[in-house]
Amino acid sequence: MKIYDFLIIGAGSAGCNIAHYLQKNGKKIAVIDKEGIAGGGSGAAGAFLSPLPGKENPYNSFVNSALMYSLKFYEEFAPQALNKRGVLRVANNNFESEKLQSNSIKSRYLNTKELQEISQNFTQIDGYFYENAAILNPNEICKKLIEKCDFYKEDVSELIFEDGFYIFENFKAKTVILAQGVIKPLVQTPYIEISPIFGVKIDVKTTTKVPFNIHKSISISTNKSDGTVAIGATKERHDTAKMECITSCDKCAFYVNSEQGQIETLLREADELIKLENLEVVKIYRGARATIKSYFPVIGKVVNFNESLKKYPSIKNGTKIPPNLLEYYPNLYIINALGSRGFVLAPYLAKILGENILNDTPMPKELSSEKLFYKTARKN
């Protein structure tokens, strides 16, 4: 039976990045996923690496710090998988012109005339251009991240911890990290309420040269290495609905029952930004991404909710019990809720979580599982 230092459950952007970080630091790593490497939401992601505009606040500061770290990481780690040509942000309902104009990130305003001088295929739009933006090949990057780890395409239905190890059929691991996205976690974490955000992406052939990524309510990529252009969007949020993903995206009613309409919407909205000539849809991707109401991701030790409240029932009344006194599942961590910015956040989060695990480096409170635990316990 093989023995690993860490088993990572989930081979999307989060799982592959934390696996790479720990392996690079001398740990023996196994990664397991029932759908394969980047087989879920990460493989279906547009993998756009873009800044978050607006006046500075804790969330966009976090996202933009992660972006700068991750761009540098990908440029050094897999330059062939990265296409860095910047992004044009066009005003929409979420980011009106005033918000884009007064944001804290360096940008350059391009009016309609200037854009049409760059490409006659641009329509009557204007926007703000950000140099530090790119697009990745998600499947290529995930495979490269774990090429020095052992990968198992299997389904894990339960966690069994005995004599200091998590025991599985063919191997055992000292520590497990849950990076399962929208899939129901293997232990009870009622303080982490995951809501799936459904996305659709298409790759299209076109004779049009798209000079840089474009983002409005949808995202259009510059021409990738194979010449295709990606068009993608988050199509529906279920922030208030308690939904559980129990099947693959190819069988999900959300996609199967409305696929053609979603594709037509993507193409229509793309046509309102730039004319893609001789267009042919060559591939369709579907995926659900995990998010929580705060929008911040969550990383850290997995708190045993029931046992912690049983030990300290006064937490419900607001008593401040230090995190180190809480009850935790043994040797169990989580990295989840990266939302639609998985490839922006994952390398940065892997560094934070990895340093916490290996060196006991404190992590930012807004990312910690403990913060969500206290909030839920007191609300209950």
Side-chain angles (χ1 to χ4, degrees), residues 112-228:
T112 300
K113 182 181 178 182
E114 290 171 315
L115 285 172
Q116 292 183 344
E117 286 175 353
I118 295 171
S119 172
Q120 294 182 349
N121 288 70
F122 278 113
T123 61
Q124 298 292 316
I125 61 171
D126 59 6
Y128 292 81
F129 180 76
Y130 300 85
E131 182 178 345
N132 287 317
I135 185 172
L136 275 177
N137 182 319
N139 298 83
E140 181 180 345
I141 198 73
C142 284
K143 288 177 181 176
K144 184 172 175 59
L145 282 165
I146 62 170
E147 63 184 0
K148 295 181 180 179
C149 305
D150 288 347
F151 176 73
Y152 298 88
K153 187 177 180 181
E154 297 177 16
D155 187 14
V156 177
S157 58
E158 64 176 334
L159 294 177
I160 300 173
F161 189 75
E162 293 178 358
D163 300 325
F165 287 91
Y166 284 96
I167 310 298
F168 303 92
E169 186 175 348
N170 300 314
F171 58 87
K172 57 184 180 178
K174 296 176 183 177
T175 303
V176 168
I177 300 178
L178 303 176
Q180 297 172 273
V182 297
I183 304 301
K184 185 177 180 180
L186 294 170
V187 296
Q188 290 187 345
T189 55
Y191 48 94
I192 305 175
E193 294 187 5
I194 295 292
S195 296
I197 303 180
F198 296 99
V200 176
K201 181 185 76 170
I202 55 176
D203 282 345
V204 300
K205 287 183 179 179
T206 176
T207 54
T208 299
K209 300 301 179 185
V210 183
F212 35 69
N213 299 330
I214 309 164
H215 181 79
K216 191 180 178 183
S217 54
I218 64 166
S219 294
I220 305 170
S221 79
T222 184
N223 304 80
K224 296 182 287 184
S225 58
D226 62 0
T228 62

Side-chain angles (χ1 to χ4, degrees), residues 244-270:
E244 180 181 323
C245 290
I246 56 175
T247 186
S248 66
C249 295
D250 285 341
K251 297 176 183 177
C252 176
F254 175 81
Y255 297 107
V256 174
N257 296 339
S258 58
E259 179 182 281
Q260 189 57 41
Q262 292 163 8
I263 294 170
E264 290 172 359
T265 298
L266 285 176
L267 294 177
R268 183 183 69 252
E269 293 183 4

